[in-house]
Amino acid sequence: MTSVDWLKENLQGFFALPASAVDWLMMLYEAIQVFDDVADGDPVSREDLNSTIWNTLVGMGQNSFWQVNQQTLAPIVASMILKWQGSDEAERAGKADARSFVWRAGYYDVVLMAVALCHGTKAATAHAQQVMHLYGEKLEDYLGEFHDA
């Protein structure tokens, strides 16, 4: 099972998010992976690029979960982007540390809000630690990327 499949399975199963929320969250996840690869100069397949272009310019905006919740989600997505940009700047300046590692994980703020929007804040609070554990990268591995480079 790929990490993408594992994420989707958790969003559907453990967190019991509706299909529209899972679809939107997966489009967002896949887009940020492609954007990160592009920023890092890593190869991106034409299929992934085409999918990302479609999803970001058409699919995500047409998604019913987004349409109903965009006033709440847009500022969180904006914060996710700004935090990633700050982290990326720190990395490129040779200043990657635990703070930049945490800021790279803004996607999971969006997931936590999706849980709150779908199931209420009490459920989101009860499952916040499980959302945190969706982030698969370890601090040691992240820092190792910069010390080994």
Side-chain angles (χ1 to χ4, degrees):
M1 175 180 296
T2 68
S3 59
V4 173
D5 293 334
W6 181 82
L7 174 61
K8 186 174 184 177
E9 184 177 286
N10 275 278
L11 296 175
Q12 292 171 324
F14 184 82
F15 297 107
L17 295 176
S20 61
V22 172
D23 291 345
W24 184 81
L25 287 166
M26 294 308 299
M27 285 188 276
L28 179 63
Y29 182 80
E30 291 167 2
I32 62 177
Q33 297 306 309
V34 168
F35 296 150
D36 186 63
D37 287 345
V38 169
D40 291 343
D42 295 335
V44 174
S45 74
R46 191 62 186 195
E47 181 181 350
D48 288 346
L49 179 61
N50 288 342
S51 178
T52 298
I53 291 168
W54 179 264
N55 287 338
T56 57
L57 297 176
V58 179
M60 292 176 73
Q62 290 181 333
N63 178 279
S64 60
F65 175 73
W66 170 258
Q67 290 173 348
V68 169
N69 296 294
Q70 68 184 37
Q71 287 187 319
T72 300
L73 293 169
I76 299 166
V77 172
S79 177
M80 175 193 76
I81 293 166
L82 294 169
K83 287 165 61 176
W84 179 88
Q85 290 171 334
S87 174
D88 189 61
E89 253 184 64
E91 291 168 9
R92 293 181 191 284
K95 297 179 181 178
D97 61 15
R99 293 167 295 190
S100 58
F101 173 74
V102 170
W103 271 36
R104 291 184 61 81
Y107 171 78
Y108 301 96
D109 296 345
V110 181
V111 172
L112 186 59
M113 182 52 66
V115 173
L117 290 168
C118 293
H119 300 300
T121 55
K122 188 173 183 178
T125 301
H127 294 305
Q129 187 174 353
Q130 287 85 0
V131 171
M132 179 180 67
H133 286 293
L134 290 174
Y135 190 40
E137 189 172 19
K138 303 285 184 242
L139 175 61
E140 300 78 28
D141 296 336
Y142 168 77
L143 293 175
E145 289 179 33
F146 302 99
H147 296 147
D148 298 337

